[in-house]
C-alpha cells in the first residue's frame, strides 16, 4: 500500500485585537486547515489573560485582589499564580527594578485605568509608595492563593502580554501546528520553519531614529525563542516641558527619567522576555547591561546622546542575530 504524500503546507495569517493592542499569528498548515477553530482557540486564551490579569476589567482576578481588605488571602487561578510567581522572581533578581505592586504609582503618574490627570505632589507620592513593595505580597502556589497585605495594587501589564504569547504558542502546538510566529502587542515568539524551510525572521523593534541607517538593522531567527522590547516611545506624555514615560521606577516611585530608547530581551519564553525588557529599561543602559551580563541575559540597549542613537548588546544577544 502506497503511503499518502504529506499535505502541502501554506502560510496562513490570523489576527485581532486584545488588551488595548493587536495580536497576529502567521502559521504553516495544510491549505485546507480549519483556521476558524485555531482562531477561536487563540481568542479563548487571550480572553483568559484579560479575565485574570487586566486591571481595566473590574471583575478580573487582579481587580478583585486590588479591592481586597488587608490580611485577606484570595484564591487565584493557576495561570495567575504562574505569572505572579515569575514576576516576583524577576523582582528579586532585579533588586526591585521590576515590581508587580506598582499599580498605585502607575495610576498616580497618569497611566492605567485609575490614572490621575496631574503630576503628583510629594505627599501623594509618599502615600502611594507606602502601599507598594513586592516583598509584601504573599503567594502560596500550592494552595493557589495570594495575600493582600493592605493597599497593594498589582499591575501585571509588563508581563501579561508575553504570557499571552506563550499561551497562544502552546495552543498551536497542541493543535498540531509545527511552525508559527506569534505576536501580541509587539512581543514575539516563533517556532519551527516556514514551508520553504526558512526560519521566522523578524526585525528587532526599536526607535524611529534607527531609520537614519547609522545603526545596522538587527534581525533575529525565531525558532524556539521569544523577544520583547520596552522603550520610551510607547505611552508617554509631556507636561510643563518635561516628558513622562509609562515605565515607573519602583525604587523611586517616579517615571524613569533617562530611560533607554529601547531594550530588547531574548528568552526561551515571551513572559520572561517581556518582564526582563522592562526591568533592564528601568535600570538603564549601564546598570541594566551589567546585570544582563551577570545573569547571562540576551539583551540589546539603544540610547540617545549628542551624536544620535547608540547601541550596546550582550554577546548572548549577538549570538542570536541572523547571519
Amino acid at each position: 500500500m502506497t503511503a499518502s504524500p504529506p499535505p502541502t503546507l501554506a502560510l496562513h495569517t490570523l489576527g485581532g485585537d486584545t488588551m488595548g493592542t493587536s495580536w497576529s499569528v502567521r502559521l504553516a498548515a495544510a491549505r485546507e486547515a480549519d483556521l476558524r477553530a485555531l482562531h477561536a482557540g487563540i481568542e479563548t486564551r487571550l480572553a483568559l489573560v484579560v479575565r485574570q490579569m487586566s486591571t481595566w476589567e473590574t471583575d478580573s482576578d487582579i481587580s478583585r485582589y486590588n479591592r481586597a481588605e488587608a490580611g485577606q488571602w484570595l484564591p487565584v487561578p493557576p495561570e495567575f499564580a504562574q505569572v505572579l510567581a515569575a514576576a516576583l522572581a524577576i523582582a528579586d533578581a532585579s533588586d526591585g527594578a521590576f515590581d508587580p505592586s506598582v499599580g498605585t504609582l502607575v495610576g498616580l503618574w497618569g497611566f492605567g485605568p485609575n490614572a490621575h490627570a496631574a503630576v503628583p505632589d510629594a505627599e501623594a507620592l509618599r502615600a502611594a509608595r507606602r502601599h507598594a513593595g513586592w516583598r509584601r505580597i504573599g503567594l502560596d502556589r500550592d494552595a493557589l492563593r495570594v495575600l493582600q497585605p493592605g493597599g497593594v495594587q498589582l499591575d501585571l501589564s509588563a508581563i501579561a502580554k508575553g504570557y499571552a504569547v506563550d499561551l497562544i504558542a502552546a495552543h498551536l502546538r497542541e493543535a498540531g501546528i509545527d511552525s508559527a510566529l506569534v505576536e501580541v502587542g509587539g512581543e514575539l515568539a516563533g517556532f519551527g520553519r516556514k514551508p520553504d524551510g526558512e526560519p521566522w525572521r523578524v526585525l528587532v523593534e526599536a526607535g524611529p531614529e534607527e531609520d537614519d541607517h547609522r545603526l545596522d538593522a538587527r534581525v533575529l531567527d525565531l525558532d524556539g525563542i521569544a523577544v520583547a522590547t520596552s522603550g520610551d516611545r510607547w505611552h508617554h506624555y509631556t507636561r510643563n516641558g518635561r516628558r513622562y514615560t509609562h515605565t515607573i521606577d519602583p525604587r523611586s516611585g517616579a517615571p524613569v527619567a533617562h530611560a533607554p530608547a529601547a531594550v530588547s530581551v531574548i528568552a526561551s519564553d515571551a513572559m520572561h522576555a517581556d518582564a526582563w525588557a522592562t526591568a533592564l529599561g528601568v535600570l538603564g543602559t549601564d546598570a541594566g547591561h551589567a546585570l544582563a551580563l551577570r545573569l547571562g541575559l540576551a539583551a540589546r540597549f539603544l540610547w540617545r546622546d549628542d551624536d544620535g542613537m547608540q547601541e550596546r548588546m550582550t554577546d548572548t544577544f549577538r549570538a542570536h542575530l541572523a547571519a
Side-chain angles (χ1 to χ4, degrees):
M1 182 176 179
T2 304
S4 299
T8 301
L9 298 181
L11 282 178
H12 303 277
T13 301
L14 303 173
D17 297 317
T18 187
M19 304 180 212
T21 184
S22 62
W23 68 266
S24 66
V25 170
R26 297 185 67 201
L27 59 93
R31 295 187 184 279
E32 64 277 9
D34 185 357
L35 299 181
R36 289 176 300 178
L38 287 174
H39 190 282
I42 292 169
E43 291 282 8
T44 296
R45 281 145 184 86
L46 290 168
L48 179 150
V49 176
V50 171
R51 185 170 66 249
Q52 294 187 19
M53 305 173 208
S54 173
T55 54
W56 296 86
E57 301 292 328
T58 58
D59 59 349
S60 66
D61 291 284
I62 196 170
S63 294
R64 183 167 51 86
Y65 174 88
N66 288 344
R67 292 193 301 268
E69 297 180 358
Q72 187 174 356
W73 283 90
L74 279 82
V76 292
E79 297 87 359
F80 187 102
Q82 178 186 355
V83 173
L84 181 57
L88 293 175
I90 293 171
D92 184 34
S94 66
D95 198 22
F98 184 88
D99 188 340
S101 73
V102 295
T104 300
L105 291 167
V106 169
L108 195 65
W109 285 99
F111 303 99
N114 301 308
H116 292 259
V119 173
D121 59 30
E123 180 53 39
L125 184 57
R126 280 193 296 269
R129 292 185 67 190
R130 283 196 294 270
H131 292 303
W134 64 272
R135 291 185 178 88
R136 301 179 64 218
I137 301 168
L139 171 61
D140 185 341
R141 289 198 69 180
D142 292 331
L144 293 177
R145 60 180 190 157
V146 183
L147 173 66
Q148 169 59 272
V152 166
Q153 299 289 294
L154 283 178
D155 186 332
L156 298 174
S157 59
I159 193 171
K161 288 198 299 294
Y163 181 67
V165 169
D166 296 333
L167 278 186
I168 294 171
H171 163 63
L172 294 174
R173 289 180 183 272
E174 291 165 1
I177 301 300
D178 296 322
S179 175
L181 178 66
V182 180
E183 179 264 339
V184 178
E187 323 304 6
L188 290 150
F191 60 89
R193 298 263 169 164
K194 293 187 288 186
D196 60 4
E198 291 295 314
W200 298 104
R201 188 160 285 179
V202 301
L203 183 68
V204 180
E205 194 170 3
E209 292 92 336
E210 273 194 293
D211 293 339
D212 66 9
H213 305 296
R214 291 184 63 254
L215 299 176
D216 294 334
R218 300 304 183 183
V219 179
L220 300 174
D221 291 342
L222 294 188
D223 189 357
I225 59 174
V227 62
T229 299
S230 178
D232 68 357
R233 72 184 178 97
W234 295 275
H235 307 302
H236 63 269
Y237 63 85
T238 301
R239 291 206 178 111
N240 299 322
R242 180 175 174 182
R243 179 186 174 100
Y244 296 92
T245 73
H246 76 295
T247 302
I248 305 297
D249 186 340
R251 301 163 302 174
S252 67
V256 178
H258 303 288
V263 180
S264 297
V265 173
I266 300 168
S268 59
D269 63 75
M271 176 176 69
H272 284 85
D274 192 6
W276 272 115
T278 296
L280 297 182
V282 168
L283 288 168
T285 301
D286 292 335
H289 185 261
L291 182 61
L293 289 176
R294 182 162 63 85
L295 298 180
L297 300 174
R300 179 206 190 205
F301 298 80
L302 292 180
W303 73 97
R304 305 177 188 88
D305 63 15
D306 293 341
D307 296 322
M309 189 71 78
Q310 306 297 325
E311 175 189 48
R312 182 189 296 173
M313 70 182 79
T314 63
D315 288 342
T316 47
F317 190 97
R318 190 179 299 277
H320 286 287
L321 295 177

